[in-house]
Amino acid sequence: MQIWGLTDPGNIRSQNQDAYNIVEFGHDRAIMIVCDGMGGAKSGNVASSLAVDVFVQEVKRSWSHNADWDKTDMILRSAVKLANFTVYDQAKQFEEFEGMGTTLVAALIRKNQASIVNVGDSRCYGISNGSIRQITKDHSVVQMMVDRGELTPETAKSYPGKNLITRAVGTEPTILCDRQELEKGSYLLLCSDGLSNMLDDQEMLFEVVHGVNKQKCCKRLLDIAKLRGSPDNVTSILVSV
């Protein structure tokens, strides 16, 4: 297993409110997370960094090598809940942090399997056999409209207000969390919407599959996003499993 990650403020913003981390537990186990903060310049970066730190520390504290997938599910959900409570508590205690929150997408990989959790619209893609699929489902107003048949997936990409999310870490005292599994995938790509808003699925697939140097894939994806204007922060993690 090989893992690469990269984050950048993008073309317009001076501050990077994205945060990420990668922690490996030996040659075939790893935890990785991407968070995209919100709440203005004072607190977006605080929310994302705090959520990343709390989530990773809780997974490391709870993790055992003999944990089955049900136990792994519980560990990840508990880590998201603790991150949510911590961000929410800080936002309530300090006026300068009022209203802050963050998206979260994370994966725990063990051998050829992954447990994945997400809150908001940061995404995880699975890439294998020359195809790409979005594993996570956005928690957003636009995705709700797609689910109701009011928008097609294509029109949703450019629909006004597409970044309005319906779930975020830290904005509510409790939070729901989804989990999905990926078996025997060739790659996982985790990213903030700063990347997924600028490149379509097939472009990401091409760079991952056909790029000669996988080590520089995250940089190539970033460069494409920045060439197109990249108004948002851009973060990606690529995993070869």
Side-chain angles (χ1 to χ4, degrees), residues 141-153 155-156 159:
V141 172
V142 165
Q143 183 60 53
M144 290 175 63
M145 294 174 73
V146 171
D147 292 344
R148 293 196 296 257
E150 298 169 10
L151 291 175
T152 67
T155 56
Y159 193 80

